[in-house]
Amino acid sequence: MQILIIGSGGREYSIALALKQDPQVSKIYFAPGNGATDDLGENIAIKDYDKLADFAKENAIDLTIVGPEDPLSAGVVDIFKSRGLVIFGPSKQAAQLESSKVFMKNFLARHAIPTAAYIQSDDFSKANAFIDSLQTPIVIKADGLCAGKGVIIAQSCDEAKEAAREMLSGERFGEAGKHIVVEEFLDGYELSVFALCDGKDFIVLPAAQDHKKLLDHDAGPNTGGMGAYAPTPLIDTTLYEKIKNRVIIPTLQGMQEENNPFEGVLFIGLMIVNGEPIVLEYNVRFGDPECEILMPLIKSSVSELFYSAATQNLKNYTLQLFHKYAVCVVMASENYPYKSSKPSEILLNEPLDTQINANTHICFAGVSREDEKLFATGGRVLACVGLGDSIQEARNRAYERCGDVHFAGKQYRSDIAYQALQS
Ligand code: AMP
Ligand code: GLY
């Protein structure tokens, strides 16, 4: 099978690593990939999605997998499908579950799927009136894609009104903020659940926990994610059943009823409040870095799994998982997430310990290659992934591997998976 992966991050690298173990996969292409993905396949510099579909046709690509949200909300799946190509991901219309918070909240409300009480508005006085009716903190969300920065948790009504004003005026997020959602604050713990969907049927992967803040103890600014672990002990069979019955099944049924069937990865951001799952958001793709820990837990053929999902054949599919834990620690560049950093060479020691060597690996993201040297080029540079028979063992191994990675200005959290270890 020849596979094209769209994207350039650690998520796409980890999908390719899993595909490399799969005897059915003969070649992997990346569009555009990064400075390290060409170790796993071939990078293709085609940005235009029509031209990329031409490439897929000409090179007999059997399956295309889309990593990030931008190509999905730009309609890459529609373009590929109209050319008769097999592609795993949601249509542009279905991708609105992520690309528009207003669409998402209204969808949740239409199908009685639990979510925080809210209003959506493009009108300042309506937003203000609702803000006055809520207890603090108050959550203000920009409608459109804002690279994970479009949510403000205001500690006072004044702060909430100011955030609403800045968004509605276009000052804060441009067009993406001119429509907003104002919602009640939910107090609980967060879980990420990933369901691979074929429009009708689905397969749930082990629940994961991300670490969105830059610094230890969940301090500092929000980031794309500084580390993750799975499976998390914060979920049991009862909660899984509630999530399936109250969230995943009604979501897939609702999308079908609206002639907008959902194919692809449904990434559900949940707040668990008193044992009840409440939807914070949907994403329509794998999380990054959650993908980096989920891929190595899959024992089944990953190409067959994605191909079955992309061809509406999940009904009789049985997923096999390794009974292991995975922890990943993201190493970011010096000025992340504020501004870009000067490229710095990455030096990697081979782990001396055979256990570390066998049970860890690195997923590369923000890297470039020059003269066979790898450089950290900013943002999230790489993720060290550790596997083990317990979260503690997986975490120790991931951190040992971090000790083998050197580049100027590297920063990473030292407390990934702390929630699991204290519970
Ligand atoms: P979202 O993009 O909607 O998932 O929001 C980003 C982050 O903001 C979430 O991961 C939560 O940490 C936080 N958040 C969003 N909505 C709420 C809410 N209603 N109550 C509490 N925290 C929230
Ligand atoms: N790690 C969260 C995300 O990918 O959105």
Side-chain angles (χ1 to χ4, degrees):
M1 200 183 264
Q2 302 211 83
I3 299 192
L4 169 64
I5 299 177
I6 299 180
S8 62
R11 166 180 48 206
E12 290 75 25
Y13 191 99
S14 72
I15 293 172
L17 264 189
L19 290 168
K20 285 295 269 189
Q21 332 273 318
D22 187 334
Q24 297 179 48
V25 176
S26 51
K27 172 119 198 195
I28 304 172
Y29 294 93
F30 299 87
N34 64 44
T37 49
D38 51 9
D39 280 336
L40 307 175
E42 190 177 331
N43 289 350
I44 305 295
I46 301 175
K47 291 201 176 111
D48 179 271
Y49 299 134
D50 283 301
K51 293 204 175 102
L52 201 54
D54 289 341
F55 172 86
K57 276 269 171 207
E58 283 155 18
N59 290 275
I61 299 294
D62 299 291
L63 170 67
T64 299
I65 299 168
V66 191
E69 59 272 30
D70 286 345
L72 294 168
S73 49
V76 70
V77 168
D78 310 66
I79 294 172
F80 272 54
K81 282 194 172 171
S82 73
R83 306 284 296 276
L85 289 157
V86 177
I87 182 163
F88 181 54
S91 66
K92 179 176 179 167
Q93 209 192 340
Q96 287 179 98
L97 282 181
E98 173 166 0
S99 64
S100 166
K101 297 244 186 249
V102 171
F103 177 89
M104 166 200 74
K105 292 293 287 192
N106 291 343
F107 174 84
L108 290 167
R110 279 199 295 283
H111 297 281
I113 300 168
T115 191
Y118 77 105
I119 57 145
Q120 47 90 12
S121 181
D122 54 8
D123 174 66
F124 188 49
S125 51
K126 185 176 166 198
N128 270 359
F130 190 64
I131 288 170
D132 281 329
S133 76
L134 292 175
Q135 289 190 335
T136 54
I138 295 165
V139 185
I140 315 285
K141 300 183 173 183
D143 176 43
L145 292 175
C146 298
K149 301 185 181 73
V151 175
I152 306 295
I153 300 187
Q155 298 304 325
S156 69
C157 280
D158 285 346
E159 195 191 330
K161 287 177 185 171
E162 181 55 12
R165 190 199 58 74
E166 283 177 0
M167 287 191 200
L168 291 170
S169 67
E171 251 169 62
R172 193 140 180 178
F173 299 114
E175 283 304 313
K178 288 192 173 170
H179 212 126
I180 59 170
V181 166
V182 179
E183 70 181 29
E184 64 172 343
F185 179 81
L186 299 171
D187 198 5
Y189 62 89
E190 285 185 61
L191 273 188
S192 303
V193 172
F194 295 85
L196 303 185
C197 307
D198 69 1
K200 214 165 151 199
D201 294 298
F202 64 91
I203 284 180
V204 186
L205 297 178
Q209 241 193 349
D210 187 13
H211 297 63
K212 289 205 171 85
K213 300 282 184 187
L214 180 71
L215 304 172
D216 284 0
H217 314 297
D218 293 322
N222 261 335
T223 69
M226 293 301 290
Y229 69 94
T232 164
L234 301 175
I235 187 165
D236 58 15
T237 322
T238 315
L239 186 52
Y240 259 120
E241 286 306 310
K242 283 186 188 169
I243 294 168
K244 277 189 200 171
N245 293 325
R246 296 189 194 163
V247 181
I248 303 175
I249 293 173
T251 301
L252 291 187
Q253 279 175 354
M255 292 296 275
Q256 272 183 286
E257 280 164 25
E258 298 187 6
N259 291 321
N260 192 10
F262 186 87
E263 293 173 21
V265 181
L266 186 66
F267 162 3
I268 309 162
L270 294 163
M271 188 73 85
I272 310 301
V273 183
N274 302 324
E276 298 301 317
I278 308 204
V279 176
L280 286 179
E281 65 164 349
Y282 294 112
N283 294 296
V284 298
R285 43 151 184 107
F286 273 117
D288 190 346
E290 291 94 326
C291 192
E292 285 91 314
I293 45 158
L294 292 174
M295 285 301 120
L297 296 177
I298 298 177
K299 193 173 178 185
S300 305
S301 151
V302 172
S303 66
E304 200 181 313
L305 172 61
F306 289 140
Y307 194 84
S308 303
T311 52
Q312 292 77 49
N313 272 318
L314 281 183
K315 195 173 178 58
N316 298 314
Y317 187 91
T318 309
L319 179 70
Q320 290 196 309
L321 295 168
F322 289 112
H323 295 293
K324 287 203 172 285
Y325 293 86
V327 174
C328 91
V329 179
V330 169
M331 299 180 107
S333 56
E334 191 170 10
N335 301 323
Y336 181 72
Y338 301 106
K339 54 185 171 106
S340 57
S341 310
K342 261 199 355 235
S344 59
E345 188 180 346
I346 303 174
L347 297 172
L348 302 169
N349 299 340
E350 275 299 305
L352 294 175
D353 184 311
T354 49
Q355 282 299 327
I356 300 301
N357 213 3
N359 292 290
T360 64
H361 59 265
I362 297 176
C363 291
F364 292 95
V367 300
S368 66
R369 193 193 298 268
E370 250 173 73
D371 302 329
E372 286 315 300
K373 290 179 183 163
L374 276 185
F375 288 84
T377 48
R380 291 182 293 169
V381 173
L382 55 83
C384 292
V385 180
L387 294 164
D389 293 327
S390 64
I391 293 176
Q392 186 69 59
E393 188 176 57
R395 178 207 225 202
N396 290 349
R397 287 173 173 165
Y399 275 112
E400 278 229 25
R401 191 68 191 250
C402 288
D404 290 321
V405 178
H406 312 278
F407 58 91
K410 70 180 182 206
Q411 49 167 339
Y412 58 100
R413 280 180 63 155
S414 68
D415 65 348
I416 300 302
Y418 75 91
Q419 301 95 323
L421 297 172
Q422 73 195 6
S423 64

